[in-house]
């Protein structure tokens, strides 16, 4: 079991917002993650986990300082776990040459191509290593976990839930990249991390995965800003996912929010709805 080092701790919403660092055995480097602990974790009962995955260019700090999630989490007794988006400072060739590939842009895939193969295992980290660390050190119930994310993190949340039926009680996303094999962001990332064989990309595409999903009912909540510049640039492609989910009868609440863009102002405006969505299933 990897050891953790507490980096910071701040009183927040009656509980504590903490950041930790650990040596990742999957990513072969040090990684940070944030944990919000509601006040009730001081008492002898378990809390349920809301795992939040951030988007391109983000660290663990973006969600905990901008989303305003702590009050809602405190009200419903949820622990929020927010990992960093990718390895940092690993001295990988080209890791800092672009904002949409490399540092801050792991795309929640397990890379098979060099130079990132040994350090970009973000799906295994999100699914296995980090939850194991959380469950060993905090009063959680490993059977009661939900997952959410924004943009690239929304892509990560959707694929984690669709690839692992029954692992998460619920899933939600803000402006997710829904069909990355068909958009420029996804094509750049997947060709760099997974190689030129496009058939291997489909394992990380929510629209493709939804088409073959056969697990227990998965209730999905998606919020999308109508004035999102990346929606109009055909990077997000939510209509493709909604069409497949409708065909497969996967329950999706999709809300197109007028006037909202891709920013954290958008997330802040609707985060409580997402927390309530997850609490309904986690606390049932």
């Amino acid at each position: 079991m990897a050891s953790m080092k507490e980096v910071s701790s701040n009183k927040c919403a009656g509980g504590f917002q903490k950041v930790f660092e650990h040596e990742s055995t999957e990513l072969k480097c040090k990684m940070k993650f944030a944990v919000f602990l509601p006040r009730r974790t001081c008492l002898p009962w378990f809390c349920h986990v809301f795992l939040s995955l951030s988007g391109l260019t983000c660290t663990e700090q973006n969600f905990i300082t901008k989303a305003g999630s702590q009050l809602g989490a405190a009200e419903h007794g949820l622990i929020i776990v927010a990992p960093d988006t990718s390895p940092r400072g690993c001295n990988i060739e080209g890791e800092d040459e672009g904002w949409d590939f490399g540092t801050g842009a792991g795309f929640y895939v397990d890379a098979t191509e060099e130079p990132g193969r040994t350090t970009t295992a973000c799906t295994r980290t999100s699914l296995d290593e980090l939850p194991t660390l959380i469950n060993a050190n905090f009063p959680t119930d490993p059977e009661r976990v939900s997952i959410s994310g924004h943009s690239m993190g929304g892509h990560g949340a959707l694929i984690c839930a669709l690839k692992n039926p029954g692992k998460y009680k619920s899933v939600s996303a803000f402006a997710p990249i829904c069909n990355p094999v068909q958009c420029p962001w996804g094509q750049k990332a997947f060709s760099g991390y997974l190689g030129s064989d496009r058939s291997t990309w489909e394992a990380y595409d929510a629209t493709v995965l939804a088409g073959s999903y056969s697990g227990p009912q998965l209730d999905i909540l998606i919020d999308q800003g109508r004035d999102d510049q990346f929606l109009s640039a055909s990077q997000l492609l939510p209509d493709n996912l909604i069409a497949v989910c409708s065909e497969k009868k996967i329950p999706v609440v999709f809300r197109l929010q007028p006037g909202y863009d891709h920013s954290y102002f958008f997330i802040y405006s609707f985060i409580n709805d997402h927390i309530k969505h997850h609490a309904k299933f986690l606390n049932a």
Side-chain angles (χ1 to χ4, degrees), residues 19-57:
V19 175
F20 296 90
E21 183 180 73
H22 73 108
E23 191 72 37
S24 171
T25 56
E26 290 284 0
L27 301 179
K28 315 300 182 187
C29 65
K30 290 183 178 180
M31 291 289 291
K32 289 182 179 178
F33 63 92
V35 178
F36 172 70
L37 298 171
R39 182 172 55 188
R40 67 190 300 180
T41 56
C42 299
L43 302 174
W45 59 50
F46 290 116
C47 286
H48 304 148
V49 172
F50 172 23
L51 177 61
S52 179
L53 306 181
S54 288
L56 285 163
T57 75

Side-chain angles (χ1 to χ4, degrees), residues 15 176 199:
S199 66

Side-chain angles (χ1 to χ4, degrees), residues 6-275:
E6 187 174 296
V7 175
S8 65
S9 179
N10 298 93
K11 185 76 173 178
C12 182
F16 287 92
Q17 179 63 66
K18 296 177 179 286
V19 175
F20 296 90
E21 183 180 73
H22 73 108
E23 191 72 37
S24 171
T25 56
E26 290 284 0
L27 301 179
K28 315 300 182 187
C29 65
K30 290 183 178 180
M31 291 289 291
K32 289 182 179 178
F33 63 92
V35 178
F36 172 70
L37 298 171
R39 182 172 55 188
R40 67 190 300 180
T41 56
C42 299
L43 302 174
W45 59 50
F46 290 116
C47 286
H48 304 148
V49 172
F50 172 23
L51 177 61
S52 179
L53 306 181
S54 288
L56 285 163
T57 75
C58 292
T59 71
E60 77 289 340
Q61 289 292 319
N62 295 74
F63 186 79
I64 67 174
T65 59
K66 296 179 180 180
S69 61
Q70 291 90 345
L71 284 171
E75 177 184 352
H76 293 281
L78 303 182
I79 289 176
I80 296 181
V81 178
D84 198 353
T85 50
S86 68
R88 296 178 189 274
C90 296
N91 297 317
I92 303 171
E93 182 183 351
E95 65 182 358
D96 295 318
E97 290 180 359
W99 67 275
D100 56 354
F101 186 82
T103 301
F107 263 84
Y108 302 100
V109 304
D110 297 332
T112 58
E113 298 295 301
E114 298 295 354
R117 183 176 62 83
T118 57
T119 53
T120 306
C122 293
T123 302
R124 291 200 303 273
T125 303
S126 299
L127 285 176
D128 299 319
E129 185 178 49
L130 184 56
T132 299
L133 197 61
I134 295 297
N135 293 330
N137 289 278
F138 301 100
T140 61
D141 180 350
E143 300 300 318
R144 298 254 171 197
V145 181
S146 70
I147 191 166
S148 183
H150 170 227
S151 193
M152 180 184 74
H155 143 77
L158 290 169
I159 64 168
C160 284
L162 290 165
K163 285 165 70 74
N164 298 273
K167 188 176 184 70
Y168 301 98
K169 291 295 183 182
S170 56
V171 60
S172 75
F174 292 92
I177 303 170
C178 294
N179 197 186
V181 301
Q182 298 293 339
C183 79
W185 277 344
Q187 291 165 356
K188 178 178 179 178
F190 289 177
S191 61
Y193 292 134
L194 303 173
S196 59
D197 182 358
R198 294 174 69 96
S199 66
T200 64
W201 301 4
E202 295 181 351
Y204 299 99
D205 185 295
T207 298
V208 175
L209 292 169
S212 59
Y213 184 77
S214 60
Q217 180 169 309
L218 182 65
D219 290 84
I220 304 172
L221 170 62
I222 296 176
D223 271 309
Q224 172 64 61
R226 182 177 289 171
D227 290 0
D228 187 326
Q229 67 272 35
F230 301 117
L231 178 64
S232 60
S234 298
Q235 293 281 21
L236 307 178
L237 304 175
D239 290 347
N240 295 0
L241 175 62
I242 301 306
V244 172
C245 287
S246 177
E247 179 182 342
K248 295 290 292 185
K249 295 181 171 54
I250 299 172
V252 179
V253 174
F254 177 74
R255 308 191 306 185
L256 190 60
Q257 304 289 5
Y260 287 91
D261 57 19
H262 200 74
S263 71
Y264 266 86
F265 296 110
F266 164 54
I267 298 173
Y268 179 90
S269 300
F270 300 103
I271 187 63
N272 283 339
D273 291 347
H274 286 242
I275 290 173

